[in-house]
Amino acid sequence: MKKGSQPTFEETAGRYIENAQLRWNIGHATRTIRDKRQLVVQELDDWEELREAGRQIKQKVMNSLDRYLLQLEKSVIKAGGVVHWATDAEDANRIITKLIKEKKETDVVKVKSITTDEIRLNRALENEGIHALETDLAELIVQLAGDEPSHILVPAIHKNRAEIRELFKDKLNLKELSDEPADLAEAARLYLRKNFLKANVGISGGNFAIAETGTVAVVESEGNGRMCTTLPEALITVLGIEKIVPEWKDLEVFMQLLPRSSTAERMNPYNTFWTGITEGDGPQEFHLVLLDNGRTNVLADETGRQTLHCIRCSACLNVCPVYERTGGHAYHSVYPGPIGAILTPQLRGLDDKSAASLPYASSLCGACYEVCPVKINIPEVLLHLRNRVVLHRKKEGGFRQKTDPVHLAMKFLARAFAKKSRYERLQKMGRTAQWFYEKDGAISNLPGELSKWTSIRDVKPVPDKTFREWWRER
Amino acid sequence: MNISLFITCFNDTLYPETGKAVVSILERLGHTVHFPMEQTCCGQMHYNTGYHEEIIPLVERFADQFENAEAVVSPSASCVGMIHEFYPKLAALSGSKVLQDRIDALIPKVHEFTMFLVNELKVEDVGAYYPHRVTYHSTCHSLRSLKIGDAPHRLLRNVKGIELVDLPGALECCGFGGTFALKNADTSAAMLGDKIRHIKETGAEVCTSADNSCLMHIGGALNRQRSGVKTVHMAEILNTTEEGAQV
Ligand code: SF4
C-alpha cells in the first residue's frame, strides 16, 4: 500500500457511525464482553499484582530484547526448528512463499493471526498461486466476505448472525441454514474439516514464545488452532519480535491475564504449546519467522516502547467509547481501537497521514489504561505521539502547516497565556466579538473550525464580568 | 488556612459564578482566599493537542504564582489532573533541574476543590440547601486521572433537599476531550448523544460535575435541544443555602 493513500480517521469515522446495523452489532458485542470481563477480573484478589507482574516481565524483555531473541533462536534450533529473520512484511512474505513452494503446495491452512494480517500474507500468497484458508470462525467469515478484520480478537465483530447466515448460504452453497450460532459453527466445521485433513502446511501466529526453551504458545477457543499446528507435516509460525517471554514460569502470569481480559474466560479452552519438532508426533518441520516490520523503531522510543508490551487481549477495544461507536474499519489498520491508535502510527511512521491521525482518535478518557492487563499507559503514549506528530509537521513546514487553523490558534493562544495583559485583552475581545453571534443568551452559529462545535451544541456567551474583574472590584 | 485559588482560564472567562461560589464556601468555612492576579492557563488544551514545548512558560508561570501558597485549590478536575500528571514531564522537558524541583515541591499542595473539602479540610456538610432533582456526571479526568473517589458524592449527599439520581452509564466519557470535539466531531457527537439520552432518562432538572469543561459540552447540547435540563458546577450547588446563593 502506498504511504498515506488511506483516509484519516476523522475523514471516514462518520460513515461508520451512521451505519445503524454496525453500531448495534459492535455496541452490543463490546458491552457484553466488557461486563463479562469485569466479573471474572473481580474474582481475583491479586489482579493488580498480576498486572504489575505482567508489566515488569514485559519491561524486562524490552530492556534486553536483543539478548532474548538470540536465546530464543538458539533454543528453537536446538529443538529441531528453523529460525528466519524478517525485517519487514515483504521479507516475511517472501520467506513464507518460498517455504511453501519448496514443498510444492498450493493450499495451506491458517490459524487466526493478526500478525499475518499485518503483513498481508494471504494476498501475497494468492499472488503466487497459493490459497491460505482461514480456519478461525470469525476470520473465515471475514475471508469469505472479502472483508477486513475489525477487531483483533473477533475479526467479524461487525457482522451479526443474520448477516453471517446469508454469507454462508451464498459462499458455502448451503440451501438450508438457520441463524443459530451452533448451526453456523457446524456449517463452518464441516467445510473446514476436509481441508484440515488435506493440508500439508499450517501457518500460525503465536501468543508467546519462551526464550529459555524455544516453546511457542497459541491460546484459543475453537480448537482449529490445535488442528493447524498438529495435523500438517510442516508448520510455519510468524511471530512479532515482541512476543517473547524469558522463562516458562512467566506464563503463570500471562495465562491468567490473557483469557480473563480477552474472552472473559478463566482459562482458554485450547492452550497449545510446541517446542521445535517431536519425532513421530505433529509436524516434522517447524519454521519460526521472527518479524520486525517497524518494531525496533517502537523499541527506540522511550515513551512509545511500552506499546510492545501488548498481549493483544483486546480489552482496550471493548471498553473504548470511540471504538464502540465507529468499529474497527474506521482505523484503516489491522490494529484498531486504543492499541491501534498507538501501535499503527509507530509501526508505519508519521509520514503516513492516515496513521498519524490515529493518536487524535481518542477523547483521552483513560478507560483503556484502566483495563490493560499489562498496564500500558495508553493515554500517555497517545499524548506523546500527538507531540511527535506536531513536531513532525513543524519540521515538514510548508504552506499548509503554516496556515493550519489549529496550529495558528495554538501559537496565538500560547502567546496570549504567557502574559497577563495579553490574556486579559483576549477575554475582553471575546466579549466584544460575540455580540455578532449571540441570540437569546446563546451562541449557536460560530464560523470556521468552531462551527463543528455549534453544529450540535450551543455556546454560553462570555458573561459581563470575568472572575478576575469581580475579584478586583471586591 | 490561607488558600490560593487557581481559577483556570476557562472558569475565569466563562464561568465566574463557579469561582465566586468556591470563594464564598471557603470563606464561610473560616479560611482566607488569595487570588494571584498573574495566573492565566494551565496549558491543558495545548498539551492534549500535542503542543508541549510551547507551554513550558506556563508551567514556570504557575510555579511563580503558587509556590509560596499554603494550599492551592481549583474547581477544575481536568486542570488539576493536568498539573499532577504532566507538569513533572513538562518540567523535565524544559531541561531545568530547578524547575523540576519547584514543580515537585508544589504539586502535593495543588488540590481539586471537592477533594480538598473532603480529604484535606475534612468537611462533608457545607450547610447547603438545594431542592432539586440532580444527577452527577463523573468526568473521566476526575475519575481516572485524579482518582476523585466518592468526595463529590459525600458532599452532595449532605445537601439538604436534594434528590440525587444515578446516571446510567455513569463511567462513560461524554465525548468532550478538548480539541477532540472539533477534530473528531462525528465521534464526539455520537458519544455526546448517548450521554444526553442517559441524562434525560434520569428525569433530573440539573446535571452537575466537578468540572465545567464537560458541563459546557453536555450543557451546550442540552440547551440546543431545549431539554429543560441545566448544567451547574458542584461548587454552585454547595454554595446555595436556604437563603439562596451566597455570593
Ligand atoms: S493494549 Fe493492553 S488492553 Fe489493549 S490489547 Fe494490548 S494488552 Fe490488551
Side-chain angles (χ1 to χ4, degrees), chain A residues 368-413:
Chain A
C368 46
Y369 180 28
E370 208 170 54
V371 296
C372 178
V374 285
K375 289 172 86 169
I376 300 172
N377 190 337
I378 296 175
E380 179 188 42
V381 181
L382 286 168
L383 288 166
H384 169 69
L385 292 174
R386 288 180 186 188
N387 181 233
R388 275 184 53 189
V389 170
V390 168
L391 294 176
H392 187 79
R393 295 232 178 96
K394 278 192 203 158
K395 214 168 89 197
E396 270 184 340
F399 180 73
R400 276 193 68 173
Q401 163 63 13
K402 289 203 185 89
T403 54
D404 175 60
V406 176
H407 182 68
L408 290 174
M410 289 295 150
K411 271 177 68 173
F412 173 75
L413 288 172

Side-chain angles (χ1 to χ4, degrees), chain A residues 215-377:
Chain A
T215 308
V216 180
V218 164
V219 301
E220 42 137 4
S221 304
E222 297 171 12
N224 62 302
R226 173 73 54 85
M227 304 269 249
C228 287
T229 53
T230 52
L231 286 177
E233 278 165 27
L235 173 60
I236 304 169
T237 298
V238 187
L239 196 84
I241 52 173
E242 80 283 18
K243 294 279 181 72
I244 295 194
V245 296
E247 304 171 73
W248 254 109
K249 71 173 182 357
D250 297 324
L251 286 186
E252 182 248 346
V253 173
F254 294 108
M255 297 299 277
Q256 294 187 72
L257 289 174
L258 182 54
R260 285 178 200 260
S261 302
S262 56
T263 45
E265 289 167 306
R266 296 182 183 90
M267 191 180 168
N268 288 97
Y270 293 89
N271 301 279
T272 306
F273 302 85
W274 67 94
T275 308
I277 55 172
T278 308
E279 219 173 299
D281 183 13
Q284 294 302 297
E285 211 180 295
F286 171 54
H287 298 272
L288 181 63
V289 181
L290 291 169
L291 177 75
D292 182 345
N293 207 29
R295 286 163 175 76
T296 42
N297 296 337
V298 188
L299 189 66
D301 181 325
E302 215 182 301
T303 308
R305 186 179 299 161
Q306 54 185 312
T307 312
L308 296 177
H309 297 183
C310 175
I311 55 174
R312 307 283 189 267
C313 71
S314 75
C316 60
L317 277 68
N318 300 333
V319 295
C320 177
V322 172
Y323 178 87
E324 180 188 333
R325 288 168 179 86
T326 63
H329 291 155
Y331 294 78
H332 303 286
S333 160
V334 292
Y335 300 109
I339 179 59
I342 59 173
L343 182 58
T344 307
Q346 296 189 81
L347 288 181
R348 289 204 209 141
L350 302 177
D351 281 327
D352 182 321
K353 294 276 181 294
S354 173
S357 74
L358 295 176
Y360 290 91
S362 164
S363 63
L364 303 171
C365 82
C368 46
Y369 180 28
E370 208 170 54
V371 296
C372 178
V374 285
K375 289 172 86 169
I376 300 172
N377 190 337

Side-chain angles (χ1 to χ4, degrees), chain A residues 9-11 13-15 17-18 23 31 34 303 321-322 324-326 357 360-367 369-370 377 379-380 383-384 386-388 390-391 393-394 401 404 406-421 423-424 427 441-445 449-463 465-472 474, chain B residues 5 7-21 23-24 27 33-41 43 45-55 57-58 61 85-86 89 93 140-141 143-144 147 171-195 213 216-226 247:
Chain A
F9 185 85
E10 60 273 16
E11 273 167 355
R15 194 196 304 161
I17 286 169
E18 281 162 21
R23 265 297 266 293
R31 277 192 297 272
R34 191 189 303 171
T303 308
V322 172
E324 180 188 333
R325 288 168 179 86
T326 63
S357 74
Y360 290 91
S362 164
S363 63
L364 303 171
C365 82
Y369 180 28
E370 208 170 54
N377 190 337
E380 179 188 42
L383 288 166
H384 169 69
R386 288 180 186 188
N387 181 233
R388 275 184 53 189
V390 168
L391 294 176
R393 295 232 178 96
K394 278 192 203 158
Q401 163 63 13
D404 175 60
V406 176
H407 182 68
L408 290 174
M410 289 295 150
K411 271 177 68 173
F412 173 75
L413 288 172
R415 250 177 75 80
F417 291 146
K419 209 166 169 210
K420 184 183 82 170
S421 55
Y423 166 73
E424 290 183 355
Q427 289 182 316
I443 296 169
S444 49
N445 59 338
E449 272 296 290
L450 294 174
S451 65
K452 291 184 189 158
W453 179 277
T454 50
S455 63
I456 58 159
R457 315 162 188 86
D458 286 343
V459 176
K460 192 176 139 325
V462 182
K465 244 182 232 171
T466 61
F467 176 82
R468 61 178 58 224
E469 284 167 337
W470 171 79
W471 179 270
R472 258 196 210 107
R474 204 175 172 235
Chain B
L5 173 64
I7 184 71
T8 79
C9 64
F10 188 71
N11 287 321
D12 182 11
T13 312
L14 288 172
Y15 296 92
E17 297 310 317
T18 301
K20 292 182 205 170
V23 173
S24 156
E27 289 182 347
V33 179
H34 302 270
F35 183 76
M37 287 306 284
E38 288 287 326
Q39 62 178 286
T40 58
C41 167
M45 182 178 64
H46 284 86
Y47 195 81
N48 286 354
T49 312
Y51 290 77
H52 296 185
E53 289 70 14
E54 284 76 359
I55 54 168
L58 298 184
R61 186 174 192 88
E85 230 181 304
F86 301 119
K89 285 184 202 291
L93 182 68
C140 298
H141 285 124
L143 202 68
R144 303 198 179 92
K147 311 245 181 310
L171 304 184
E172 266 205 35
C173 180
C174 71
F176 177 46
T179 47
F180 170 78
L182 300 180
K183 186 163 176 89
N184 281 288
D186 294 319
T187 314
S188 173
M191 290 160 73
L192 177 60
D194 290 337
K195 185 58 75 185
S213 48
M216 175 179 78
H217 186 235
I218 294 169
L222 287 170
N223 199 50
R224 171 64 57 86
Q225 297 175 19
R226 308 294 185 255
V247 178

